Amino acid sequence: MEVEIRRLNAIKEACKTSYASNLEYLEERLARVNIQLERTTSELKRDILTKQKKHYENQLTNLDENVENAIKEVDANIEKLEKNMKEKTESFDYNIEKLQECIKRRNTGDIFDMFENVTNALLILAQEISE
C-alpha cells in the first residue's frame, strides 16, 4: 500500500508539472493573440483572432478543471489507502499474518517490515491491556 501511495503522489506531481507547462504555453499563446488583436485593423483578421482568443480561454478553463479533478481523485485514493493502511496496522491478526508471511519467505529484505509488524502488534496489545 505504501508503494501505491508513493505512486499516486508521483502521479499527482506529474499532473502539477504538466499543468504548469501547459498553462505557460496557453498563456503565451493568448498573450500573442492579444498583441495581434491590438495591432490589427482588418475586421476579418480581428474576427479570426477573437475566435482564437476564445479557444485559448476555453482551453485554459478546461485545463484548470481537469487538473483540479485529477488531483482531487488522486487525493481521494490516497486518503482511502491511508485509511485502509491504518485499519490494517491496528489489527492484531493482520500484523501476525504479515509476520508469518515474512518468516515463510525468509527474505532478509523483509526484516524492517517484520519489525514494524511486531511493533504494531505490541502496541495493540499494550492498548488492550491498558483498557
Side-chain angles (χ1 to χ4, degrees):
M1 280 193 219
E2 291 176 15
V3 172
E4 182 66 12
I5 290 172
R6 283 193 297 262
R7 186 185 74 77
L8 289 171
N9 279 323
I11 289 172
K12 187 167 70 170
E13 289 306 312
C15 282
K16 289 178 181 179
T17 303
S18 174
Y19 170 76
S21 65
N22 288 334
L23 180 66
E24 184 178 326
Y25 171 79
L26 289 172
E27 286 178 339
E28 181 182 310
R29 291 288 187 188
L30 192 57
R32 285 182 184 177
V33 168
N34 284 332
I35 290 170
Q36 288 178 334
L37 265 171
E38 291 173 4
R39 293 181 181 168
T40 190
T41 56
S42 166
E43 195 62 37
L44 177 61
K45 192 170 182 179
R46 184 176 299 281
D47 288 341
I48 292 170
L49 290 171
T50 302
K51 287 180 184 178
Q52 284 182 342
K53 180 180 176 179
K54 286 180 185 177
H55 173 73
Y56 289 132
E57 288 171 345
N58 287 337
Q59 282 188 324
L60 281 169
T61 302
N62 290 339
L63 181 66
D64 289 342
E65 290 173 1
N66 290 340
V67 78
E68 187 175 317
N69 290 337
I71 289 176
K72 280 182 183 179
E73 185 177 328
V74 169
D75 283 340
N77 288 338
I78 290 172
E79 187 177 315
K80 186 168 49 170
L81 284 171
E82 286 174 341
K83 181 181 176 187
N84 287 342
M85 229 168 70
K86 182 179 178 189
E87 288 173 358
K88 286 184 178 180
T89 58
E90 291 177 356
S91 165
F92 186 76
D93 293 333
Y94 170 82
N95 287 293
I96 296 298
E97 181 181 313
K98 285 296 183 184
L99 283 169
Q100 290 171 339
E101 288 172 9
C102 290
I103 290 170
K104 284 180 187 176
R105 284 193 301 266
R106 296 207 175 274
N107 184 352
T108 56
D110 292 336
I111 195 93
F112 290 103
D113 290 337
M114 292 175 71
F115 284 137
E116 186 177 332
N117 292 120
V118 169
T119 303
N120 290 337
L122 290 173
L123 289 172
I124 292 167
L125 285 174
Q127 287 176 350
E128 289 178 2
I129 290 172
S130 67
E131 291 175 356

